[in-house]
Structure formats: C-alpha cells, structure tokens
Amino acid sequence: MGAFYGRKIKYAEINPKTGKAWTLEDVPSYWRSKVTQWMGEN
C-alpha cells in the first residue's frame, strides 16, 4: 500500500474526495510511514 499511495502522490493524481492532487495528509494514518519510506526509496 505504500507504493500504491506513493505513486498517487508522486504522479499528482487527483484525489476524488478533495478534487486536488494527493498529499501525504490524504493517506490513511496507518499507511503514512510506509508511504514515507517508499517515497524515500524511490
């Protein structure tokens, strides 16, 4: 799931709930550390 959300942030996909590009704050808190780790590696 880290890669899933990481790609959304990296490629600035639009979050349907906010209508704006995904940010780390949009990621469920449970997955944020994995997303941060994935983004640091990629």
Side-chain angles (χ1 to χ4, degrees):
M1 290 304 284
F4 174 78
Y5 288 115
R7 284 188 197 105
K8 290 184 175 294
I9 294 169
K10 184 176 181 179
Y11 298 118
E13 291 185 25
I14 301 299
N15 181 341
K17 291 182 180 179
T18 64
K20 298 179 183 179
W22 278 85
T23 64
L24 190 59
E25 290 76 32
D26 296 330
V27 176
S29 59
Y30 181 80
W31 295 110
R32 286 184 189 163
S33 63
K34 293 290 184 184
V35 172
T36 302
Q37 179 183 354
W38 183 87
M39 292 179 72
E41 295 170 357
N42 295 289

